Amino acid sequence: MAKFIPVDPFDIVIFGGTGDLSRRKLLPALYHRWLDGQIPETSRIVGTARSELSTKAYRDMAREACETASGKNWDAKAWKGFEKLVEYVSIDATDPDADWPTLKSKLSDEPERACVFYLATSPRLYVGISEALGRAGLATPQARVVLEKPIGTDLESAREINDGVGAVFAERQVFRIDHYLGKETVQNLMVLRFANMLFEPLWSRNYIDHVQITVAEDLGLEGRADYYDKSGALRDMVQNHMLQLLCLTAMEPPNHLDDDDIRTEKIKVLNALVPITGEAARRLTVRGQYKAGVRGDEPVKGYVDELSSGAASTTETFVAIKASIDNWRWAGVPFYLRTGKRLPYRHSDIVIQFKPTPHSLFGEGNDAVNRLVIRLQPDEGVRLYVQIKEPGPGGLRVKSLPLNLSYAESFTVRYPDAYERLLMDVVRGNLSLFMRRDEVEAAWTWVDGLIDAWDRYGDAPDLYAAGSNGPLAAAMMMDRDGREWFEGK
């Protein structure tokens, strides 16, 4: 049984401490690490925001958030101990005359104690908050700053953020977080590849036909209309989550599991991505936007109807991309990326589809291929589809069935979610699952080329009904290659 190793005492300051991310993810993550004995009782958790709240009111808000997140695992007795760690300071991070001395007084003055500044705010505040922390004397050698995605909206803005934050904090102190990289199955991807002789010899163009990476959501805007309409699926999902998954799938074995060794191998993949520019964008990408449809048995509005303005919009809610990696291992192997909102069900998968056998011994229709399906959500697990004989008389019939590793079935104890794991990595100073500056900028370089091509041609997104699998053009893109999207649940 896995044991949770306690971290050293630390301080964490959550900017945007009353916001949605803090209530849904950060505070519950810290509470659950407390439950498992990872957080020492001398640690401090300080929420900050513009709201004028007392510490008691903030603790009440935090309790409601943690109780909701815990469900049947709620432990009221444990909460009594945890809430003693929690305090609140009202600070307007945009005000140069904000009360930084009060915040500083809440933190330990021990020089070797880690102090984490989590910026759960709009990215436009990242540089200003970092500069204010520097002026207040809080950017100490043991300080760490956590930046949520998106890091900018294009390469230029990403560089401005990186330059501004980097002027205050050294690169080793900057943790650019992508919660997908904290998921158990994402980390297990490296173990599958590099700890099993069964897979690593096959992990190349010699045996793999293609790779699919899908991040599908069944929800719509859910209160994110203002942000999403300025972003779209490409900036919101592809530039960070999906390219990170692609890197982990395609990277070479690192020399060690040290943070920079892993991140150096990922940047090599990003640099080898073939740019999709000009006319190629029309052949290799599909943009979509959902219209009114049905979710389950309930009718749902279209994307434009969900916008507060109700005005026409060309923002994409669906993207499919045929990407290529121009290196020795992956030359000729397409990587199909797909993400969208208002699809039939929520799931995130990495599908490794192997080449068919050179000759089918079992007749027409019995040429099914092997697939390795790594499911990231909602039910984390790994399935390897192999061919077996279907029992019974009447001839030899072959059926594809999975060898199934389900985390829920195999590990009955609760294991930390992505934010819990990544927060503890920040405290330890482990950067391996966080993005380096050059990774962010290389990803934006590739995405910017695609955005420029879309803007040049001005094609409107293809409409698809909410609750469907996306635009027909996405299926046709695969069909032209003699392939199809994997839709298995």
Side-chain angles (χ1 to χ4, degrees):
M1 181 177 174
K3 293 183 179 180
F4 297 111
I5 301 173
V7 297
D8 293 331
F10 66 94
D11 297 343
I12 181 169
V13 179
I14 304 174
F15 289 89
T18 60
D20 182 65
L21 178 64
S22 297
R23 288 182 283 109
R24 285 191 306 107
K25 295 294 185 180
L26 302 182
L27 291 168
L30 292 166
Y31 169 68
H32 286 129
R33 292 303 85 230
W34 168 264
L35 280 181
D36 286 329
Q38 273 197 283
I39 297 180
E41 61 184 14
T42 54
S43 299
R44 304 175 187 182
I45 300 167
V46 182
T48 74
R50 288 181 294 179
S51 305
E52 293 289 344
L53 290 177
S54 66
T55 289
K56 181 182 182 306
Y58 187 69
R59 288 175 176 174
D60 290 343
M61 185 209 76
R63 173 178 176 139
E64 181 180 352
C66 293
E67 188 170 358
T68 299
S70 299
K72 63 181 181 180
N73 294 319
W74 173 249
D75 187 332
K77 183 178 180 181
W79 173 260
K80 291 295 185 182
F82 178 76
E83 72 172 354
K84 294 176 183 177
L85 280 58
V86 179
E87 296 200 50
Y88 181 80
V89 176
S90 176
I91 283 187
D92 182 351
T94 64
D95 182 358
D97 299 321
D99 190 9
W100 296 100
T102 298
L103 174 61
K104 191 172 183 179
S105 71
K106 300 291 184 182
L107 307 177
S108 170
D109 56 5
E110 299 172 28
E112 298 304 313
R113 185 180 176 114
C115 185
V116 177
F117 298 103
Y118 200 115
L119 309 192
T121 66
S122 168
R124 64 184 174 81
L125 300 179
Y126 290 171
V127 174
I129 293 175
S130 297
E131 291 173 344
L133 290 170
R135 288 192 299 269
L138 292 170
T140 65
Q142 291 303 314
R144 291 104 197 244
V145 61
V146 182
L147 308 182
E148 272 282 344
K149 66 98 174 171
I151 310 293
T153 58
D154 54 19
L155 177 60
E156 181 181 0
S157 58
R159 281 178 172 162
E160 289 176 359
I161 291 173
N162 284 331
D163 286 343
V165 175
V168 181
F169 295 97
E171 180 65 21
R172 64 172 178 78
Q173 296 175 283
V174 182
F175 292 72
R176 299 172 186 88
I177 193 169
D178 183 340
H179 73 272
Y180 264 62
L181 300 189
K183 292 181 179 293
E184 285 285 353
T185 38
V186 172
Q187 295 180 65
N188 203 30
L189 174 59
M190 287 194 290
V191 177
L192 279 172
R193 286 190 57 188
F194 305 135
N196 293 286
M197 196 60 185
L198 173 66
F199 291 119
E200 179 53 25
L202 309 180
W203 211 267
S204 73
R205 60 187 174 84
N206 296 324
Y207 295 99
I208 292 177
D209 178 79
H210 71 276
V211 177
Q212 298 180 29
I213 301 176
T214 296
V215 179
E217 301 178 82
D218 59 349
L219 299 176
L221 296 182
E222 306 303 314
R224 301 175 71 220
D226 290 340
Y227 160 74
Y228 196 89
D229 200 48
K230 297 173 185 175
S231 173
L234 185 66
R235 289 183 173 95
D236 185 50
M237 294 298 294
V238 175
Q239 187 274 336
N240 39 75
H241 295 330
M242 301 197 75
L243 288 185
Q244 285 293 308
L245 296 179
L246 181 148
C247 287
L248 289 172
T249 303
M251 72 181 192
E252 295 297 319
N255 292 332
H256 306 283
L257 292 180
D258 296 338
D259 43 36
D260 265 352
D261 281 2
I262 293 173
R263 299 195 297 178
T264 295
E265 295 305 331
K266 288 196 293 177
I267 191 67
K268 290 178 184 177
V269 176
L270 290 172
N271 288 335
L273 272 176
V274 178
I276 299 177
T277 57
E279 182 65 30
R282 284 179 155 173
R283 293 184 289 104
L284 301 176
T285 71
V286 174
R287 300 173 70 216
Q289 185 186 96
Y290 65 84
K291 60 183 180 180
V294 177
R295 182 189 179 204
D297 296 326
E298 296 293 326
V300 292
K301 295 179 179 180
Y303 174 77
V304 171
D305 296 325
E306 287 195 58
L307 296 176
S308 56
S309 65
S313 172
T314 58
T315 298
E316 76 283 352
T317 62
F318 177 99
V319 177
I321 300 172
K322 180 182 177 181
S324 300
I325 299 173
D326 191 14
N327 65 16
W328 188 275
R329 183 184 289 262
W330 296 112
V333 178
F335 282 71
Y336 296 99
L337 312 180
R338 176 179 58 159
T339 184
K341 289 187 172 295
R342 287 291 187 214
L343 299 180
Y345 66 102
R346 172 177 171 263
H347 66 109
S348 297
D349 299 316
I350 301 170
V351 179
I352 312 297
Q353 181 153 318
F354 294 93
K355 291 181 177 180
T357 53
H359 172 64
S360 177
L361 296 175
F362 305 107
E364 293 296 325
N366 287 324
D367 55 353
V369 295
N370 299 121
R371 289 189 184 96
L372 178 66
V373 179
I374 302 164
R375 173 145 291 182
L376 313 179
Q377 62 182 17
D379 47 345
E380 293 181 281
V382 179
R383 285 174 288 167
L384 176 63
Y385 284 81
V386 296
Q387 316 314 315
I388 65 166
K389 177 189 177 298
E390 189 172 342
L396 195 156
R397 297 181 302 277
V398 175
K399 187 175 180 66
S400 180
L401 288 176
L403 304 175
N404 186 27
L405 166 62
S406 165
Y407 273 75
E409 295 174 5
S410 301
F411 304 102
T412 55
V413 298
R414 182 191 181 277
Y415 50 89
D417 73 8
Y419 274 100
E420 294 173 45
R421 182 175 299 104
L422 293 174
L423 280 169
M424 295 300 96
D425 277 351
V426 175
V427 173
R428 293 188 177 103
N430 179 6
L431 284 156
S432 60
L433 294 176
F434 297 84
M435 291 175 285
R436 205 165 63 190
R437 172 180 179 149
D438 53 355
E439 283 185 75
V440 173
E441 294 179 7
W444 272 123
T445 299
W446 190 78
V447 167
D448 276 358
L450 184 47
I451 292 173
D452 288 345
W454 285 351
D455 289 344
R456 179 182 305 175
Y457 291 105
D459 297 337
D462 295 334
L463 296 179
Y464 63 97
S468 71
N469 282 316
L472 179 60
M476 292 173 63
M477 181 175 75
M478 296 289 276
D479 188 64
R480 287 194 298 269
D481 293 346
R483 302 180 176 105
E484 61 183 11
W485 293 107
F486 178 77
E487 304 290 0
K489 286 192 176 183

